[in-house]
Amino acid sequence: AQKITQTQPGMFVQEKEAVTLDCTYDTSDPSYGLFWYKQPSSGEMIFLIYQGSYDQQNATEGRYSLNFQKARKSANLVISASQLGDSAMYFCAMREPYKAAGNKLTFGGGTRVLVKP
Amino acid sequence: KAGVTQTPRYLIKTRGQQVTLSCSPISGHRSVSWYQQTPGQGLQFLFEYFSETQRNKGNFPGRFSGRQFSNSRSEMNVSTLELGDSALYLCASSDPGTSGTSETQYFGPGTRLLVL
């Protein structure tokens, strides 16, 4: 069974600084997708960034980038130039191929980020 | 495009009752997935519907059921509610069939269910 681990339950970051959120995963399938979502206190899950297991380059999306190290099975999210609005829970998630799991996402436990002014 | 919508947003029920939650996906999205989020268990996959068929199911008791209509709207039903069913229920839609970011699941605001 696949597993997603986020070892940082919570962290503080100074406004305008960069922060790295850790995510490690475990799967035996060579084909998978990795996602990061942001969940503000309102509850809605907001998609941030996606990395496919066969993608040659690390994904980037504005201030978000994904440090994908396939051999180490890690997919860390980097948020550059943190803003107060970045304060939220962040979840790493993985999807295995449709044949195995359809569109099911498995989530990590999340990391709570608090940006300090 | 309008995002995923869920109704109702908040719900209070008592043990033993049943509840139906509704989810309208993003226009054109054919897959709808449901997740339960609790402080103790985190985010857990309930089931996924695609073209009115349940494609995958998580490890939940039979009290949890769902369906999808021809317009891709989906409902989930929980019968004989228990205190432990109190949770945030999130619905997500996607347009599978192509690879990459187009398979991304986009979530609705959730329904907060409190069982007393």
Side-chain angles (χ1 to χ4, degrees), chain B residues 47-59:
Chain B
F47 29 64
E48 180 204 2
Y49 286 87
F50 178 72
S51 294
E52 302 179 62
T53 301
Q54 186 180 89
R55 182 158 66 173
N56 200 1
K57 189 178 191 306
N59 189 26

Side-chain angles (χ1 to χ4, degrees), chain B residues 3-116:
Chain B
V4 178
T5 58
Q6 292 186 245
T7 56
R9 293 292 311 279
Y10 303 91
L11 208 48
I12 300 176
K13 292 285 188 179
T14 57
R15 280 181 299 175
Q17 288 187 310
Q18 74 166 21
V19 67
T20 299
L21 312 182
S22 180
C23 172
S24 293
I26 292 171
S27 178
H29 284 191
R30 296 169 291 160
S31 168
V32 174
S33 298
W34 289 88
Y35 295 84
Q36 181 197 63
Q37 185 176 24
T38 60
Q41 300 298 318
L43 279 150
Q44 296 185 88
F45 172 78
L46 279 157
F47 29 64
E48 180 204 2
Y49 286 87
F50 178 72
S51 294
E52 302 179 62
T53 301
Q54 186 180 89
R55 182 158 66 173
N56 200 1
K57 189 178 191 306
N59 189 26
F60 279 83
R63 300 185 296 107
F64 292 82
S65 63
R67 59 177 175 170
Q68 186 179 34
F69 302 95
S70 58
N71 62 357
S72 295
R73 189 178 71 86
S74 177
E75 290 181 346
M76 69 163 282
N77 183 276
V78 187
S79 63
T80 319
L81 284 165
E82 300 178 358
L83 297 179
D85 297 333
S86 295
L88 177 66
Y89 290 89
L90 291 161
C91 160
S93 77
S94 66
D95 187 15
T98 56
S99 61
T101 56
S102 59
E103 296 175 350
T104 297
Q105 292 186 45
Y106 296 92
F107 284 80
T111 296
R112 291 188 186 273
L113 172 65
L114 176 62
V115 182
L116 301 176

